[in-house]
């Protein structure tokens, strides 16, 4: 399969299976409509001299394995070997976000914090299930994890003392309200990545992300984020969410950039049908143009990276990731304050997906098997989609929220992802300024 697209006056050709990208001219772009794979060395009758030259160049790419490449075989499902946990150290939050999938922080189960003992058992559970893996990841999440900072610090110390032979990578996601000099110093010293929540423009952010008392949070957190980043050597992302309230999300990216932040992610909210902030198919044409508008701005020389426009055309994810995705439910799991295990943070509170407890030491094999065996080959829509090796079937939780089935693709999300991938490929092509990218 190939995919060709015309965007911002450039013509791009993607060989889907190999990932090879070629910038071509209009004549080649048009000729491809008449070509059926595999190409033969001798062009068909009726082509003019220019078309015959194009045919020869395309045929050469095919012979090099950079065009009309056969699909990547879907490998056998990997064993269930955990490598990452999302620790919900706080099922409580000091914000009341309008689009919150976690019922304003408590995930529908009451407000509580994770104890030190539960944190220890979670680490023990990970170590019992990680096999020979040396690199392990712990994500501190909530609610608002800074509300349980003592537990965070204890878990970090416990993990390193319990398994000094392992390389733990710790990350934390925060809304910023509780950041102070002590927390900032700790995060910058111990956390490999910090995800900082900010929705963009002050009025948008303060409308969507209110404090418990109903006030805005923008002016409280932005100075704190700046202090954290000023002393940070590790990775960080300023991560926002756009909804039907701010379809013109490029203006929010612009505001985040104006505040001096350089690593930016803005995600579409995935909400149940009928939610007043839910994105709909009617919004799609406008949103696709917004991504193009964002791409144009970056190409004009804006000095920041947008998460969804970052694609590695040379290395990229391994074949397992390309066909199976994030590993939720078999390589990755979430743990609640009580120690309950779920496939990922977005399934927490859905009892149909409760997989066990860190105090019991086992995971529900049937649920794990369902996630483990899903791939782009088991999803009908993926099998015919040119972007399948980039999104790997999308987010199972989003599929469940929007379509009622973790194995059925979220159609609106798919359309947005295809546009983001096109923008990312064109951006890479423009930066490398080459006719051929592999």
């Amino acid at each position: 399969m190939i995919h060709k697209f015309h965007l911002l006056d450039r013509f791009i050709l993607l060989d889907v299976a190999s990932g090879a990208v070629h910038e071509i001219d209009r004549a080649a772009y048009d000729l491809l409509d008449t070509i059926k794979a595999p190409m033969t060395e001798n062009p068909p009758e009726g082509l003019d001299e220019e078309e015959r030259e194009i045919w020869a160049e395309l045929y050469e790419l095919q012979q090099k394995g950079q065009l009309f490449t056969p699909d990547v075989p879907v490998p056998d499902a990997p064993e269930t070997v955990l490598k990452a946990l999302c620790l919900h150290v706080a099922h409580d939050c000091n914000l009341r976000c309008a689009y919150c999938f976690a019922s304003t922080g408590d995930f529908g189960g009451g407000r509580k914090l994770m104890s030190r003992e539960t944190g220890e058992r979670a680490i023990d559970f990970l170590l019992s299930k990680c096999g020979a893996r040396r690199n392990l990841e712990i994500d501190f999440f909530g609610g608002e994890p800074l509300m349980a900072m003592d537990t965070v610090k204890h878990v970090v110390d416990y993990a390193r003392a319990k398994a000094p032979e392992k390389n733990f990578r710790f990350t934390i996601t925060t809304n910023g309200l509780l950041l102070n000099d002590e927390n900032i110093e700790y995060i910058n010293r111990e956390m490999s990545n910090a995800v900082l929540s900010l929705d963009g423009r002050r009025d948008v952010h303060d409308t969507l992300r209110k404090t418990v008392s109903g006030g805005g949070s923008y002016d409280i957190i932005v100075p704190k984020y700046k202090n954290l980043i000023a002393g940070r050597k590790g990775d960080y992302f300023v991560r926002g969410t756009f909804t039907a309230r701010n379809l013109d999300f490029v203006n929010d990216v612009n505001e985040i950039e104006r505040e001096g932040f350089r690593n930016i992610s803005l995600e579409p909210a995935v909400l149940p049908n009928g939610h007043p902030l839910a994105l709909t198919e009617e919004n799609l044409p406008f949103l696709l143009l917004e991504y193009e508008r964002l791409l144009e701005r970056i190409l004009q020389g804006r000095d920041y990276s947008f998460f969804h426009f970052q694609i590695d055309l040379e290395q990229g994810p391994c074949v397992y990731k390309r066909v199976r995705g994030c590993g939720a439910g078999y390589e990755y799991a979430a743990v609640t304050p009580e120690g309950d295990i779920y496939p990922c943070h977005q399934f927490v509170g859905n009892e149909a997906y409760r997989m066990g407890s860190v105090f019991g030491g086992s995971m529900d094999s049937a649920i794990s098997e369902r996630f483990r065996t899903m791939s782009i080959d088991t999803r009908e829509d993926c099998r015919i989609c040119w972007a399948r090796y980039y999104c790997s079937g999308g987010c199972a939780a989003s599929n469940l929220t929007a379509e009622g089935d973790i194995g059925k693709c979220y159609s609106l999300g798919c359309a947005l992802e295809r546009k983001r991938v096109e923008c990312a490929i064109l951006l890479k092509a423009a930066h490398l300024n080459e006719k051929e990218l592999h």
Side-chain angles (χ1 to χ4, degrees), residues 370-399:
R370 174 83 193 281
F371 282 86
R372 189 178 72 89
T373 56
M374 282 194 310
S375 71
I376 57 174
D377 199 43
T378 65
R379 294 180 171 100
E380 183 177 353
D381 291 340
C382 292
R383 290 198 295 268
I384 58 173
C385 178
W386 64 265
R388 60 186 179 273
Y389 296 124
Y390 294 96
C391 83
S392 312
C395 171
S398 295
N399 293 344

Side-chain angles (χ1 to χ4, degrees), residues 114-340:
M114 179 179 286
S115 69
R116 292 184 174 191
E117 180 189 6
T118 302
E120 290 178 1
R121 296 294 78 77
I123 295 299
D124 293 343
F125 177 76
L126 174 61
L127 292 173
S128 72
K129 300 295 183 182
C130 71
R133 289 184 183 270
R134 180 174 180 273
N135 296 315
L136 304 175
E137 181 166 328
I138 303 292
D139 303 326
F140 294 107
F141 198 73
E144 173 47 49
L146 296 191
M147 298 179 76
M149 200 62 184
D150 287 345
T151 298
V152 170
K153 293 178 179 180
H154 182 76
V155 168
V156 169
D157 290 342
Y158 181 83
R160 288 181 173 149
K162 182 79 174 182
E165 75 282 5
K166 301 292 187 182
N167 178 36
F168 285 96
R169 183 178 187 271
F170 298 102
T171 70
I172 196 163
T173 299
T174 179
N175 64 35
L177 286 181
L178 294 179
L179 283 175
N180 53 33
D181 290 345
E182 180 182 349
N183 288 341
I184 287 173
E185 189 278 331
Y186 184 85
I187 289 170
N188 283 346
R189 186 179 75 246
E190 302 291 350
M191 300 293 154
S192 298
N193 196 8
V195 182
L196 313 174
S197 298
L198 179 67
D199 281 354
R201 289 163 288 179
R202 179 182 282 100
D203 64 314
V204 170
H205 179 94
D206 284 348
T207 298
L208 298 176
R209 299 180 66 83
K210 295 183 181 297
T211 64
V212 175
S213 62
S217 56
Y218 185 96
D219 289 330
I220 301 172
I221 65 172
V222 168
K224 296 183 178 187
Y225 288 165
K226 291 180 179 180
N227 288 339
L228 184 147
I229 292 168
R232 184 159 184 79
K233 296 181 180 179
D235 293 336
Y236 80 89
F237 268 101
V238 172
R239 184 198 184 282
T241 301
F242 68 85
T243 70
R245 165 67 176 75
N246 57 319
L247 296 175
D248 57 340
F249 64 85
V250 174
N251 292 327
D252 295 298
V253 175
N254 293 345
E255 178 66 11
I256 294 172
E257 181 206 9
R258 189 190 66 79
E259 291 285 8
F261 304 118
R262 294 292 174 260
N263 299 323
I264 302 171
S265 174
L266 210 64
E267 310 285 338
V270 182
L271 298 165
N273 293 333
H275 192 289
L277 295 175
L279 302 172
T280 68
E281 293 288 340
E282 293 179 353
N283 303 141
L284 185 57
F286 185 91
L287 294 175
L288 298 182
L289 289 176
E290 279 293 278
Y291 280 117
E292 291 188 20
R293 188 159 75 98
L294 180 59
L295 176 63
E296 285 185 286
R297 183 172 173 82
I298 295 174
L299 287 172
Q300 290 167 0
R302 309 308 301 181
D303 183 24
Y304 63 85
S305 66
F306 183 69
F307 178 78
H308 286 295
F309 288 178
Q310 303 301 307
I311 284 182
D312 185 348
L313 296 177
E314 297 180 0
Q315 299 294 327
C318 67
V319 65
Y320 281 110
K321 289 295 183 186
R322 292 178 70 192
V323 301
R324 298 191 186 279
C326 69
Y330 61 97
E331 289 186 324
Y332 169 80
V335 179
T336 70
E338 303 95 332
D340 293 334

